[in-house]
Amino acid sequence: MATLPELATESAATARRQEFLVSTGLAILLAAHMAAYGSWIIDDAGITFAYARNVSTGFGWVAQPGAAPVEGFTNLLWLLVLLPFFALDWFDLVWTPKLLGFACAFGSVILTRRAIRHTAPELRLWGDIGLLFLVLNPAFAIWCVSGLENGLFALLTAALLVSTVRSCRAPTGASFAAAIAAGAIAALTAAVRPDGLVLAALWPTTTLVLGDLPIARRVRLAATASAVTILGVAALTFWRWQVFGDFVPNTFHAKVGDTWGRASTAAALALALGGLQLLRQLPRLRGRRLAAIVHALLAFATLDLLGAKGITRSLAGEPGIVLLALAFAVVGSRPARSSAPWVYGTILALMGYQALPPDWMGEWRFGTAFSLLATPTITLALGTLFAALTGKRRWLLAAVFSAIGIVALVRATDRMLNFRQNPTVPMTSILELNERFVSWAADLELPNAKRASVLAADMGGALWLDKLDMMDLAGLCDPEFARLLGTPEACAEVALARKPTFIEFHSDIARRCGLPDSSAFRRDYLPIVEQEDDYATRAAGRPIRTGFYVRRALAPPPEVIDRWRQSLR
């Protein structure tokens, strides 16, 4: 007969095996999901790759050797992670970013599992269900394997969550060492992507709302974590000024636009949702059913009225907004120690997403942190609700949400298949396009094909190929265009003054750059291929023609132009 210590050891071993099997299963599903997108790498990732290569080979922080330093990327820490692979000549254009993306994404899943077990070990099954939906969510898998920084962003978000949960659950409360660690993680998160700075508020906010410690100690802890983050961000900003002569990445000027309008709306959303959570922590309201119903209704109205319905669709389609509002209400009924990290983390991630400009690339590219935090928050809330109900109500709840889950998985499969068939701007397509430009430049018999220049908006593949002098019409790597987009006449004037050999533009850039309406452009450039652009036409409310163009002064004979046209078919 086994003794009590032997039984305890056997039980612990069984638990470890179960943990290993679940983690392995999640890893296999995530890897299979990511593998479904094949060798696709988003073209924008090529910008980071080109910068990393130039830094590692001694050319400096430039888009192309010999160019002026411009911060044409927003993912400094991801670039630094890639540097050793370039320095050791271990970088593969597909395998390196994909394996790193998988490792970071899976690491974020493991850390989130750990946070669930620290928060509510009795709900670990529901937490694992949430992580299952997460790894099968195209919005999470696509961008973590895209070659961009999303996987690393998810990993540091999960690390910040674990740090916050541990501090909440510590028997003696948070320590100053934990505050310093959380502040450092938050600074690293901001170095991955500037909007990560919003998540820096998670640890201080959670510490302040927990009432177990004296208020003075809570304030000192929150101030310590914030000070460490501020120092880290200040050091990064000082480096940026020394290297690039600017306080923000050049991409900020190119993309942000109406910053304050979006930022104020996002802040109002976070304050409203956060205020509702604080009210629910009042002893009179925490356990009351009517308070939970009112909370859910107000959270739904807030999400809907302040424009957050779109991102909630990434979770479960149209029911996503209902599930999130319900989660805020149900999780808010739990003690602050277990609810605060998840609720405030989700709110802050939502705020960060809403503050950013709308993204045209699809599948909620900037919503990685939100998906990571909101998905298990919802399933933990459902687990709490399931445990509170009995009899027919419990099984009715299970049936309803099982149906929602099945529909969400079916829609996720459709999204995965659609993206696999029509991926967003593959880097390989831009590489092929720029190989054509190189071939065309050779036909022009210039003194050196490298001196041929191209004005275009898709830079990743072009910078990676590095066989032509590139001018970034989208402004990411070009400070002048970054500040002129949206003022069409001035933008067109600058573009024509640079006299690029070739020009290619399409989509919304065509409307914003002013070239289609410029008589000087029509005078100086000969169309190779030109057509009416549906997207630009809808956006402008009038016909906009886009295509490929060559300077008339350098144009080859008509038969060569015809051959170029054939190569584009």
Side-chain angles (χ1 to χ4, degrees), residues 526-528 550 554-566:
L526 174 69
I528 301 170
V550 62
L554 300 173
E559 59 270 20
V560 176
I561 296 287
D562 288 338
R563 178 156 50 83
W564 290 359
R565 290 190 181 114
Q566 292 296 325

Side-chain angles (χ1 to χ4, degrees), residues 29-37 40 98 101-102 105 133-147 150-151 363 368 371 415-416 419:
L29 286 173
L30 180 61
H33 187 179
M34 288 180 164
Y37 304 108
W40 169 77
K98 284 187 176 291
F102 167 77
F133 278 91
L134 176 70
V135 301
L136 295 177
N137 187 347
F140 182 77
I142 285 171
W143 295 113
C144 286
V145 79
S146 66
N150 295 62
E363 283 299 335
T368 301
S371 297
R415 287 160 51 199
M416 181 270 288
F419 195 92

Side-chain angles (χ1 to χ4, degrees), residues 511 536-544:
R511 177 181 62 86
T537 296
R538 286 197 303 271
R542 55 187 174 81
I544 298 287

